Amino acid sequence: MTSYQKTGNADELIRQIGELKQERDALILAHNYQRPEVQDIADHTGDSLELSRIAARAREAVIVFCGVQFMAETAAILCPEKTVLLPVREAGCPLADTATAGQVRQMREQYPDAVVVAYVNTSAEVKAESDICCTSANAVEIVRSVNAGRPIIFVSDRNLGHYAAHMARRRVILWDGACPTHAGLSVADIRQAKKDHPKTKVMAHPECRPEVLELMDRVAGTAGMLAYAVEEVPGTAFIVGTDIGLIHRLQKENPDKVFYPATDYLVCPTMKLTTLEDVMRSLENMEHVVKLEESIRVKARSALDAMLAV
Ligand code: CIZ
């Protein structure tokens, strides 16, 4: 096994990652919010579900998931026969941390007829207590698919839950959780961005507050934002209301268009923890392996399968 030579040279580090990737029979996946240099060395970039599905189809034995804990867990739920590595163990998600399995069980006792819809930004334990999962891309469809006679508990993001309920015209019991990055975006920020960049299209993630979403030309998850950018004519400029990591991919895939962050502080700190050095170390030491209890994995898988069936 090649040993990692610390040269301080980025090209050399990238070369060594490539070499070690072959030796380990590994596939590198990077979420759309990762640092640009991590996205650039990845075999695939995407949202958490897209990446987990790629992981499940991959022929490689090892998946290096550059993202946060719940994302690597989702990959481990979908492909138990592979080794899933999360380069930075501490890369968590403050939104996912707002919900525990015990709290979901308590909610179920309070609303025994309810269908629990778990946003993908939840732990494997919470997914295991849920009936069906959803992502930012399909939350509206999933909420709409629930039998109209039954109450819906939407875990974990109250803004996404509110948006899905509004679009699907359903009543939803909202969890008191929010993404600190998206929920921090204000109406004043959007007004300022529009003043700074007039004649732009404005898009934001459904984890933003309802009053912010009202000002948007498009509300979408990262996959939907990438699609929206392609739809518009060359020369279009956009204000982007999600983590600035997505701007790298938007700009790379649409060189004839311009993308401005809605504010400079739309940065998820845990999504930026993973560096190229961490990816190298992860491959070298085969760390940190995502381990799930099989009973939890099987139950969480059934909530993900219910989503895929819709
Ligand atoms: O599901 C994902 O990957 C997240 C957290 C956001 C998005 O819209 O891609």
Side-chain angles (χ1 to χ4, degrees):
M1 181 65 51
T2 315
S3 140
Y4 165 37
Q5 304 294 318
K6 228 180 172 184
T7 60
N9 176 328
D11 290 342
E12 178 54 16
L13 181 56
I14 292 166
R15 192 194 63 74
Q16 288 185 25
I17 290 174
E19 209 175 277
L20 200 46
K21 194 176 75 164
Q22 301 289 327
E23 286 179 37
R24 291 293 196 198
D25 188 23
L27 185 74
I28 301 180
L29 304 178
H31 189 269
N32 291 326
Y33 294 155
Q34 289 287 291
R35 291 167 181 260
E37 64 275 21
V38 172
Q39 294 189 33
D40 287 345
I41 57 115
D43 296 296
H44 301 276
T45 47
D47 67 18
S48 58
L49 187 70
E50 260 178 284
L51 293 177
S52 293
R53 287 168 122 171
I54 291 171
R57 285 197 307 264
R59 53 155 197 79
E60 288 82 357
V62 176
I63 305 295
V64 181
F65 206 117
C66 303
V68 293
Q69 285 155 5
F70 80 82
M71 297 178 175
E73 277 186 359
T74 307
I77 293 166
L78 291 179
C79 35
E81 71 295 350
K82 297 194 198 317
T83 302
V84 179
L85 303 177
L86 179 68
V88 178
R89 200 202 318 256
E90 302 72 34
C93 168
L95 170 60
D97 291 345
T98 64
T100 65
Q103 289 167 326
V104 176
R105 280 194 294 270
Q106 268 176 17
M107 282 287 257
R108 275 200 186 277
E109 278 167 26
Q110 217 179 320
Y111 302 97
D113 299 342
V115 171
V116 176
V117 177
Y119 185 27
V120 71
N121 294 41
T122 48
S123 66
E125 287 80 5
V126 166
K127 288 185 180 76
E129 294 294 333
S130 306
D131 297 297
I132 186 164
C133 288
C134 76
T135 70
S136 53
N138 63 20
V140 176
E141 236 177 306
I142 297 294
V143 166
R144 200 178 274 140
S145 76
V146 175
N147 183 323
R150 295 183 65 187
I152 299 171
I153 298 171
F154 192 96
V155 193
S156 57
D157 189 276
R158 64 171 174 266
N159 291 331
L160 176 65
H162 179 275
Y163 174 75
H166 173 73
M167 297 301 287
R169 295 174 192 276
R170 294 292 304 270
R171 280 196 58 215
V172 164
I173 300 156
L174 298 175
W175 199 261
D176 190 17
C179 160
T181 305
H182 286 108
L185 187 64
S186 68
V187 166
D189 292 328
I190 298 298
R191 294 216 170 107
Q192 186 60 49
K194 281 178 146 183
K195 217 159 126 189
D196 295 343
H197 310 293
K199 297 201 183 123
T200 40
K201 298 282 182 188
V202 197
M203 53 179 155
H205 198 280
E207 290 175 19
C208 294
R209 288 188 253 156
E211 61 273 25
V212 168
L213 298 184
E214 273 173 26
L215 305 176
M216 294 301 129
D217 295 307
R218 182 67 57 94
V219 175
T222 57
M225 288 186 181
L226 286 156
Y228 180 43
V230 173
E231 275 170 35
E232 292 294 325
V233 292
T236 307
F238 300 83
I239 293 168
V240 183
T242 194
D243 179 278
I244 58 163
L246 185 68
I247 303 240
H248 177 67
R249 190 166 162 202
L250 283 166
Q251 199 63 76
K252 202 165 149 182
E253 293 180 5
N254 301 276
D256 55 352
K257 292 163 193 163
V258 183
F259 302 90
Y260 302 106
T263 70
D264 289 339
Y265 61 77
L266 265 172
V267 183
C268 170
T270 54
M271 275 288 186
K272 304 297 173 293
L273 286 175
T274 308
T275 63
L276 288 180
E277 283 80 3
D278 293 319
V279 177
M280 182 70 204
R281 244 190 317 273
S282 175
L283 280 164
E284 195 175 41
N285 303 332
M286 291 295 281
E287 65 189 21
H288 303 276
V289 178
V290 179
K291 291 199 185 93
L292 297 174
E293 227 177 82
E294 185 58 8
S295 60
I296 300 225
R297 191 196 69 77
V298 168
K299 281 184 1 196
R301 168 86 198 221
S302 115
L304 282 166
D305 283 345
M307 171 183 78
L308 297 175
V310 173

